[in-house]
Amino acid sequence: HVQLVESGGGSVQAGGSLRLSCAASADAYSSYCMGWSRQSPGKEREKVASIDSVGTPLYVDSVKGRFTISRDDAKNTVYLEMNNLKPEDTAVYRCAAGRAGCPIPPATTYDYYGQGTQVTVS
């Protein structure tokens, strides 16, 4: 079982930056598809970014060029660097892990999720 603990959320003005971190516990972490999903009130959960075991990233169109996902397998940690934040980025961001690898199909959820961290852009 994988446990995921996020940190780094907060409030920022539009155009600002935040860096989210996700510490994972699992011996098999390095082979998982790791990603970030977000959800805001009244909206469906959205897969924001993912990164496979060799470091290949994927992004939803709305964050391309602004967000960067990375992983440090020595620390079992995944990061999401968010720049030029917009009010529409406001959401609860949850770290996620998928056993079957990337990409996670659109209609499929990850196997594990963290508790989430709030990101508010005003």
Side-chain angles (χ1 to χ4, degrees), residues 13-31:
Q13 291 187 339
S17 299
L18 285 173
R19 187 193 196 202
L20 306 182
S21 298
C22 171
S25 64
D27 291 338
Y29 155 83
S30 61
S31 66

Side-chain angles (χ1 to χ4, degrees), residues 7-75:
S7 61
S11 298
V12 65
Q13 291 187 339
S17 299
L18 285 173
R19 187 193 196 202
L20 306 182
S21 298
C22 171
S25 64
D27 291 338
Y29 155 83
S30 61
S31 66
Y32 286 19
C33 177
M34 300 299 297
W36 292 90
S37 293
R38 67 184 180 186
Q39 188 168 20
S40 54
K43 294 185 178 180
E44 293 187 355
R45 183 183 295 168
E46 177 183 45
K47 297 184 183 76
V48 175
S50 65
I51 187 165
D52 67 10
S53 59
V54 295
T56 305
L58 288 172
Y59 301 97
V60 69
D61 286 346
S62 60
V63 308
K64 285 181 180 177
R66 300 188 298 120
F67 289 14
T68 302
I69 188 171
S70 61
R71 61 192 296 165
D72 184 340
D73 291 345
K75 297 181 179 179

Side-chain angles (χ1 to χ4, degrees), residues 88-103:
E88 51 263 42
D89 295 318
T90 295
V92 174
Y93 284 71
R94 300 177 74 183
C95 180
R99 293 189 302 264
C102 293

